[in-house]
Amino acid sequence: MTKAVIILSHCNTEEKLQVLKNNILKLKSNPNLDIILTSHISLPQEIVDSVEYFIYDKSNPILSWPQRGMFIWQRFNIETQDVYLNYIQPDYGWCVFNQINLGGSIALNYDISYVINYDLVIDSNVEKILNNNIPEANF
């Protein structure tokens, strides 16, 4: 049974890069697991060389209003008047979906695939899921 893990990343600081490196090392301890790393920013060559697949897509599709946005609001009552504060910020959801889509195009060649964020805490529960051979959804 072939298995792969898709790592979604946007490691734009040294701290994030170190977390990614540590998680790749942990995942590499499982010899039956290939790593597909996705990023919208370039990564150091040592990280790229440590995984089976690296997908770099510089497009980083952040959508802004009026195309799309994340709407945040709050209602206050001041004296007898309702006051609304509204804010629309850019939507980063498509960036994540795009990385899943790109990594998934390679993961179709595997029997089982997992999608994780670069900073997932890989504890005994995660390792248990990665070591079983049951195709199931885990959150």
Side-chain angles (χ1 to χ4, degrees), residues 41-104:
I41 58 176
S42 60
L43 294 174
Q45 192 62 44
E46 69 174 296
I47 291 176
V48 172
D49 291 342
S50 69
V51 299
E52 281 69 33
Y53 298 95
F54 175 61
I55 301 172
Y56 169 61
D57 177 16
K58 68 178 182 176
S59 66
N60 199 20
I62 300 169
L63 304 177
S64 297
W65 184 260
Q67 185 180 26
R68 183 153 171 86
M70 294 192 319
F71 189 76
I72 301 166
W73 61 273
Q74 181 136 14
R75 183 179 82 179
F76 300 94
N77 187 280
I78 299 176
E79 296 176 6
T80 60
Q81 185 86 21
D82 281 341
V83 178
Y84 295 89
L85 295 176
N86 301 317
Y87 176 69
I88 301 173
Q89 68 181 28
D91 185 349
Y92 294 86
W94 179 249
C95 300
V96 175
F97 178 74
N98 190 45
Q99 284 191 359
I100 293 169
N101 188 37
L102 292 169

